[in-house]
Amino acid sequence: MATLTLKNVPENLVDRLKGEAKENRRSLNQEAVSRLELSVMLRKRSSAEIIAALRRLHKKLGSRPILTDAFIDRAKREGRP
C-alpha cells in the first residue's frame, strides 16, 4: 500500500477529523482514508447515476419515493446541488 503525506493541513480541520474519527471508532488515518475514498467514489458518478441508485434503494426498502422529478426540479430552482 502507498503512503501519502499531507502538508499544511489547517489545525481546525485536523481537530474536526480527529473528532469524527473518534465518533466512528477509527484511527485518524482510517478516517482520512475513508473520507478520501468516499469523496473519490462520489465524484465518479454522475448526478443521474446517483439519483437512479437512490431510487433503486427506495424501491428496495419499500420507502415512499422522495426523489420525484418535481422534488428534484424544485431543489434545482432553489439552488441546491
Side-chain angles (χ1 to χ4, degrees):
M1 236 181 238
T3 299
L4 173 68
T5 302
L6 299 175
K7 297 179 181 181
N8 302 318
V9 180
E11 281 296 320
N12 64 338
L13 179 59
V14 173
D15 292 340
R16 289 179 63 192
L17 193 59
K18 283 180 181 179
E20 294 290 321
K22 186 175 181 179
E23 284 182 25
N24 293 320
R25 297 184 178 138
R26 297 180 180 143
S27 68
L28 180 59
N29 185 76
Q30 289 170 324
E31 187 69 25
V33 170
S34 177
R35 297 294 180 107
L36 286 169
E37 284 177 337
L38 181 60
S39 176
V40 170
M41 283 182 0
L42 288 176
R43 296 219 186 264
K44 286 185 177 180
R45 297 174 77 182
S46 70
S47 298
E49 289 171 322
I50 293 169
I51 290 169
L54 288 170
R55 285 183 172 153
R56 285 192 302 274
L57 179 61
H58 280 240
K59 186 176 180 179
K60 180 179 178 181
L61 297 175
S63 304
R64 192 179 107 228
I66 296 171
L67 292 173
T68 62
D69 290 334
F71 176 87
I72 294 168
D73 289 340
R74 188 178 79 238
K76 286 180 180 178
R77 282 194 308 275
E78 292 174 2
R80 298 179 190 168

